[in-house]
Amino acid sequence: KSAGGAPDKTTPGWRRAYAGALTALGIEGDRFVALGPERILRGEASTLLTGNPPEELRPDGLPQGVVAAALAPEPDSRVYAITRSQILVSADQGRTWTALPLPWPANDLCAVVVAPGRPDRVLALDTHGAVLDGTGHPPYWRVLLGDDPWLSMATDIRLSSASPGLALISTLGHGIRVVSVE
């Protein structure tokens, strides 16, 4: 803040870009998507600091209970979202959503990520440590990791473009695990 108590406009800080309930956020480069009950926000993160509001959409086919989202790298316009039991995709940047067919019932999904440099590959993680790997359009699914006691209480998965084939999985109580996803 400046000496008079007013916010200093040259110093980065918290700025409200949207007021409302949101349950998932995905970002790729400068593009972002935020999902909430009955709405989706999308735009460029850099424009939020200039006071430009995000675009707000009323999505078609997006169920309640979305817990995570991920964007495919440009020029692909796909956005992925998960509920605890579904993996969903939007091919039009969030306007319409379709549940992806899975060969088995999903349970306790908690995270989703698109492989760097591979917009056709999406991975979803469940809280028991199982990694579901989907490749292609529509995805062909396989389980990369089964329920591993060391990965129990899994919370998030991230892939690094600098280390293709490796994923970091965070857990509650068991730290971070490095796993092969090839």
Side-chain angles (χ1 to χ4, degrees):
K1 292 187 174 187
S2 66
D8 180 355
K9 295 189 186 224
T10 62
T11 304
W14 286 98
R15 178 181 300 220
R16 183 183 305 193
Y18 172 80
L22 299 169
T23 59
L25 176 66
I27 190 162
E28 170 63 32
D30 194 37
R31 297 177 306 127
F32 76 90
V33 62
L35 306 170
E38 301 176 11
R39 72 181 39 84
I40 181 172
L41 305 176
R42 67 181 186 189
E44 295 178 354
S46 60
T47 65
L48 296 177
L49 284 176
T50 64
N52 292 333
E55 179 182 9
E56 184 174 347
L57 306 170
R58 300 282 182 211
D60 181 28
L62 185 65
Q64 296 291 320
V66 172
V67 296
L71 283 83
E74 286 189 311
D76 197 305
S77 62
R78 279 176 294 163
V79 181
Y80 294 92
I82 60 169
T83 66
R84 293 286 181 207
S85 62
Q86 290 182 300
I87 302 172
L88 302 120
V89 65
S90 170
D92 57 8
Q93 300 179 17
R95 288 192 188 280
T96 58
W97 292 85
T98 304
L100 293 173
L102 296 172
W104 59 88
N107 190 20
D108 293 329
L109 295 173
C110 61
V112 63
V113 66
V114 178
R118 296 267 320 269
D120 69 324
R121 185 176 188 203
V122 61
L123 292 105
L125 175 71
D126 74 19
T127 59
H128 308 286
V131 176
L132 311 178
D133 179 13
T135 304
H137 302 291
Y140 165 78
W141 294 97
R142 64 186 177 136
V143 177
L144 291 180
L145 299 173
D147 294 347
D148 182 337
W150 290 106
L151 291 174
S152 63
M153 300 302 291
T155 59
D156 207 352
I157 184 170
R158 294 288 183 241
L159 304 174
S160 168
S161 60
S163 300
L166 295 180
L168 294 176
I169 297 176
S170 62
T171 68
L172 291 174
H174 295 288
I176 295 176
R177 299 289 183 223
V178 179
V179 297
S180 172
V181 291
E182 289 303 320

